Amino acid sequence: MATVCSGWRCLGRSAWKLPGSGRLLLSGLLEARSRARCISSSGAGACRRGWARKGSPLLLGAAFALGGTFGLCQTVRHHFQSQAHLAEQEVEKVPEDSLQLTLYQYKTCPFCSKVRAFLDYHGLLYEIVEVNPVMRKEIKFSSYRKVPILLANADSTLQLNDSSVIISAIKTHLISRKSLEEILSYYPPMKATNERGKEVTEYNNKYWLMLDEKETMCVYPVKESRVEEMKWRKWVDDWLVHLISPNVYRTPGEALASFDYIVREGKFGALEGFFAKYVGAAAMFFIGKRLKSRHHLQDNVREDLYKAANDWVKAIGKHRMFMGGAQPNLADLAVYGVLRVMEGLEAFDDMMTNTKIEPWYHRMEAAIRQARAAN
């Protein structure tokens, strides 16, 4: 009996830790217990008389006690489940005021577009600096002369280069809350020579999220999902992105329409825009032919685009909305970001008409639109 009473006293002392509904149930439970004790102390005769009149007060007290105990347990369990749910939400919550982001870009660049898709979907606020593709004076501060470049101002200003490094580093930061400076040390730039003998900067581990075991299990409950995401992110950079130029510059008419779009959306002076539209369209028509040869594309480059779109849809399968399941993952965002730069052009319309990608593409549009509205 002493052990039981001790338990009651501990329960009473811990009541202040519970939410309001829990305290209310606990109060009722303690009151029912007190009544049961008083009733039992009146003796067996009183109990027998009670059975004859209104039913057993002892049984009624026990019912109150059992009901109160059940209600208390349910309340405590609901309280802790709510806390666990909030903890899960915190994993993806953006640290308030921790990052001030500035994206240096060409709006029509597919690599820049996939960074924007990632930032928009994750509700990150960022400023855009449109870079003049001729003079590039906006990025004269940088020895790295490509776009996208992302400047992140936290404790200090950090420069992130390469679209896949930007995405992996920021995603790692959102999950692990490690400092960006530490995270960037995991993506060291390495000088290499490409197949044409040109020196380039590579990041060999740029498709990895730098997470500990617990964080990795949270993001990738199934091990294969991480491998799949990395595989298709690499496919985007190594193959899909190289299909864009040969398709949008396939004919002189398409090249002119593409450069009209580029000049309209980009940052050009009046004279620069005129020359870019007509001289650039002619130049890119011939460069598109060279790219077709370099990347071993078919004579009809549309066929490679159609196959890539259908390969992607096949990889997702019939039972998933996205490769990430119910929500897009980093591979979904990369594919969407690259294909989005063709919107409004003939190549995009042909792809939508001649492949099975349209339903997935519209789901991606809706997912990013909803994410932006929510944030």
Side-chain angles (χ1 to χ4, degrees), residues 3 44 166 206:
T3 303
I166 291 170
K206 62 186 177 182

Side-chain angles (χ1 to χ4, degrees), residues 117-330:
F118 167 79
L119 296 175
D120 289 341
Y121 179 71
H122 287 83
L124 292 164
L125 299 178
Y126 59 99
E127 293 183 11
I128 290 177
V129 176
E130 193 68 23
V131 177
N132 182 296
V134 179
M135 302 302 294
R136 293 186 291 180
K137 61 183 180 180
E138 293 81 6
I139 55 173
K140 65 182 181 181
F141 62 85
S142 173
S143 59
Y144 182 84
R145 301 300 291 167
K146 298 178 182 180
V147 292
I149 293 172
L150 186 72
L151 293 188
N153 290 299
D155 295 330
S156 59
T157 300
L158 297 172
Q159 179 175 329
L160 289 74
N161 305 323
D162 187 279
S163 60
S164 292
V165 172
I166 291 170
I167 290 169
S168 293
I170 298 295
K171 181 71 172 181
T172 298
H173 173 70
L174 295 180
I175 297 168
S176 70
R177 306 301 174 86
K178 295 174 184 172
S179 71
L180 262 183
E181 189 171 8
E182 178 185 351
I183 293 168
L184 286 179
S185 69
Y186 305 144
Y187 302 98
M190 302 175 63
K191 296 295 181 182
T193 303
N194 64 16
E195 66 276 6
R196 301 189 304 277
K198 182 180 179 182
E199 187 180 78
V200 294
T201 302
E202 296 288 353
Y203 303 86
N204 290 335
N205 52 354
K206 62 186 177 182
Y207 302 110
W208 283 89
L209 301 187
M210 301 303 174
L211 307 173
D212 63 27
E213 186 176 351
K214 182 179 178 181
E215 292 161 349
T216 299
M217 285 300 299
C218 203
V219 180
Y220 306 106
V222 179
K223 182 180 178 180
E224 289 74 14
S225 63
R226 183 180 196 177
V227 175
E228 182 184 51
E229 181 185 80
M230 292 172 63
K231 170 189 170 181
W232 286 96
R233 288 181 68 194
K234 190 173 188 302
W235 175 82
V236 169
D237 289 352
D238 291 348
W239 179 244
L240 183 63
V241 76
H242 297 304
L243 302 179
I244 305 301
S245 292
N247 273 280
V248 300
Y249 305 126
R250 185 181 62 149
T251 66
E254 287 183 83
L256 190 60
S258 297
F259 261 86
D260 181 62
Y261 168 65
I262 289 170
V263 169
R264 188 172 64 251
E265 298 293 335
K267 185 176 182 179
F268 293 89
L271 190 60
E272 284 178 340
F274 177 83
F275 279 102
K277 180 176 178 178
Y278 293 99
V279 178
M284 287 307 299
F285 170 71
F286 291 105
I287 291 173
K289 302 297 183 185
R290 287 174 53 193
L291 292 173
K292 180 176 76 171
S293 175
R294 178 186 300 170
H295 298 294
H296 309 291
L297 306 184
Q298 300 180 52
D299 287 338
N300 182 1
V301 293
R302 283 289 198 274
E303 293 301 322
D304 288 300
L305 180 62
Y306 298 160
K307 184 179 184 305
N310 284 329
D311 285 347
W312 169 249
V313 174
K314 183 179 178 181
I316 295 171
K318 296 179 180 180
H319 305 294
R320 290 190 292 184
M321 294 180 64
F322 307 99
M323 182 164 281
Q327 298 296 329
N329 67 7
L330 298 183

Side-chain angles (χ1 to χ4, degrees), residues 105-110 112-113 116 128 130-131 261 265-266 341:
Q105 68 157 22
Y106 307 144
K107 184 174 181 180
T108 55
C109 163
C112 300
S113 180
R116 290 199 310 273
I128 290 177
E130 193 68 23
V131 177
Y261 168 65
E265 298 293 335
V341 300

